[in-house]
Amino acid sequence: MRSPRIEINLKKIAHNARALVNLYGSNGIKISGVTKAICGHSEIAATLLQSGIKTLADSRLENIINMRKNGIKAQFLLLRGPMLSQTEQVVKTADCSLNSEITVLKSLSKFALKLGVVHQVILMVELGDLREGLMPDDLNKTITQLLALKGVKLIGLGTNLACLGGVIPDEIKMSQLSSIARSTEKKFGIKLKIISGGNSANYQWFKHNTTVGLVNNLRLGESIFLGCETIHRKPIPGLFTDAFELVAEIIEVQQKPSRPFGSKGQNASGDTPSFKDRGAMKRAILGIGQQDVNITGLTPISDISIIAASSDHIVIDVHESNLKVGQEVRFQINYNALLSLMTSSYVSKLMI
Ligand SMILES: *Cc1c(COP(=O)(O)O)cnc(C)c1O
């Protein structure tokens, strides 16, 4: 079997997706399945659709284009605010996008009219995490301009927290979003179909509140794939946290000193690391490195530990285990490791 590889358990992903659809659905919240961490992989996308998810959301147009090309039929939402230079392609490719810039909306409108389509728009509201979104005070001005445009239709408001600033989507933030939505509907005499409250970080808010206000949508990636919420990275009860595993092959096992010997300068990464002298030890090398995976996101499943890594090698301490060249070792992965592994063309993707 090819190494390194990421083993992807579609049954576990399906279970997680269905459980989250049911959980949030119990209080009127629909799930958009976020496919960016899996680079829009079409078998995984199809699994999400078979599990009760109707909308697929991705931050990259390339992934949406690929999913469509591979026959995935869904509503597609572009998560990252469109680049002005992409607007024609966005209108051609995505049914809906998250937006915050009127210049971009004008351009989307222009191309939607040219193509004879209506592009749906969710306006993002900044509630403190300081990534995308209009400050609440600036919202009405943009909505006034947006409603005057043809070819684009305002279908909802959204917010995104816990991504850049680590701001928690708590009851205060979610009530704020609901009240902004309520006053927007009233002021402009419109009905907003979607109030999108956030991402996998919204789990605690949902669990600890009996009312969700007007929030009726969440965009979920990590909790579907890795089975956890993202404020404390605690597992969500009943979900699988091991739907993905990394497998890498041992290419060298040797008894060596634990501390580098010779006069020392920088290593390949430009660091000058120091190692404790623990005497002689058995060290193994894996045929995978920083070009393939974000090393900090790996947790060994067996009794080994990572010592260090360079672009194509990870050096491990094999402890007491009797590992040999050609054998494989397994790792649990976090979101950043998942992102990098799915992106690397050197890592094969095995569905199990
Ligand atoms: C990535 C992303 C999400 C999904 O976040 P998860 O933590 O993986 O659930 C939701 N919304 C936006 C705007 C995103 O960029």
Side-chain angles (χ1 to χ4, degrees):
M1 237 183 290
R2 274 184 62 196
S3 288
R5 66 179 176 276
I6 180 166
E7 292 188 353
I8 304 169
N9 189 315
L10 293 175
K11 281 213 176 101
K12 289 183 177 175
I13 294 170
H15 170 90
N16 286 0
R18 199 167 284 287
L20 290 165
V21 165
N22 291 339
L23 173 73
Y24 288 111
S26 69
N27 219 336
I29 293 181
K30 291 214 168 77
I31 302 306
S32 302
V34 175
T35 50
K36 67 191 183 203
I38 50 136
C39 302
H41 194 287
S42 55
E43 276 178 83
I44 304 174
T47 301
L48 299 185
L49 296 176
Q50 285 152 19
S51 310
I53 286 173
K54 303 264 184 315
T55 302
L56 297 178
D58 205 296
S59 46
R60 307 204 176 230
L61 268 185
E62 294 88 340
N63 291 343
I64 298 180
I65 291 169
N66 261 330
M67 285 187 274
R68 282 210 196 273
K69 218 190 277 164
N70 288 317
I72 301 295
K73 300 238 178 329
Q75 280 283 112
F76 283 102
L77 165 66
L78 182 66
L79 286 175
R80 185 171 62 189
M83 296 177 201
L84 196 52
S85 59
Q86 287 181 321
T87 44
E88 181 166 16
Q89 194 56 254
V90 169
V91 166
K92 279 185 187 158
T93 308
D95 302 291
C96 181
S97 55
L98 304 183
N99 285 274
S100 55
E101 286 290 343
I102 191 65
T103 316
V104 172
L105 289 163
K106 284 178 179 166
S107 183
L108 290 170
S109 159
K110 184 179 90 181
F111 287 113
L113 283 175
K114 190 175 135 194
L115 289 161
V117 298
V118 174
H119 184 75
Q120 301 178 328
V121 169
I122 294 174
L123 273 187
M124 294 301 274
V125 186
E126 175 62 71
L127 292 182
D129 202 51
L130 296 184
R131 205 178 67 183
E132 72 272 42
L134 288 149
M135 291 296 285
D137 285 349
D138 299 328
L139 200 57
N140 285 346
K141 183 169 169 236
T142 297
I143 294 178
T144 305
Q145 290 174 291
L146 169 56
L147 292 177
L149 296 173
K150 297 212 163 61
V152 283
K153 182 170 167 49
L154 177 65
I155 62 158
L157 296 181
T159 196
N160 194 65
L161 295 162
C163 264
L164 203 78
V167 172
I168 297 174
D170 54 15
E171 173 55 20
I172 296 170
K173 299 294 182 192
M174 290 301 103
S175 308
Q176 204 183 344
L177 181 65
S178 281
S179 92
I180 291 169
R182 211 169 283 119
S183 62
T184 299
E185 289 188 331
K186 199 156 157 232
K187 179 170 169 58
F188 292 96
I190 55 175
K191 175 86 188 112
L192 297 169
K193 202 171 78 182
I194 294 178
I195 307 301
S196 189
N199 51 45
S200 296
N202 283 57
Y203 177 76
Q204 298 294 350
W205 158 76
F206 182 83
K207 284 301 273 185
H208 294 129
N209 286 283
T210 45
T211 57
V212 295
L214 297 191
V215 174
N216 62 7
N217 173 270
L218 290 175
R219 312 170 303 269
L220 301 183
E222 185 162 346
S223 56
I224 297 175
F225 297 128
L226 299 180
C228 64
E229 52 80 42
T230 55
I231 298 295
H232 306 290
R233 296 260 155 19
K234 290 223 178 77
I236 295 174
L239 299 200
F240 291 105
T241 56
D242 59 351
F244 295 83
E245 267 178 31
L246 168 65
V247 185
E249 185 175 326
I250 297 174
I251 59 170
E252 177 188 305
V253 189
Q254 299 286 333
Q255 189 81 8
K256 293 187 187 185
S258 45
R259 203 159 66 162
F261 44 96
S263 57
K264 285 179 63 189
Q266 291 183 356
N267 69 8
S269 309
D271 303 324
T272 43
S274 65
F275 295 92
K276 243 173 68 192
D277 190 359
R278 297 186 285 131
M281 62 182 292
K282 208 154 77 171
R283 298 161 73 92
I285 301 176
L286 305 176
I288 183 171
Q290 282 160 345
Q291 191 162 16
D292 311 291
V293 64
N294 187 327
I295 314 286
T296 57
L298 300 181
T299 308
I301 290 173
S302 54
D303 180 32
I304 58 168
S305 52
I306 294 174
I307 297 170
S310 56
S311 54
D312 310 297
H313 303 75
I314 296 179
V315 178
I316 60 172
D317 181 345
V318 302
H319 301 301
E320 304 306 313
S321 51
N322 189 27
L323 289 166
K324 297 198 166 51
V325 166
Q327 286 187 321
E328 295 178 334
V329 294
R330 290 176 170 267
F331 297 89
Q332 262 219 287
I333 60 174
N334 75 4
Y335 191 79
N336 286 337
L338 176 63
L339 270 181
S340 50
L341 289 165
M342 291 303 294
T343 306
S344 175
S345 59
Y346 303 103
V347 177
S348 86
K349 280 70 181 175
L350 181 73
M351 304 295 148
I352 55 170

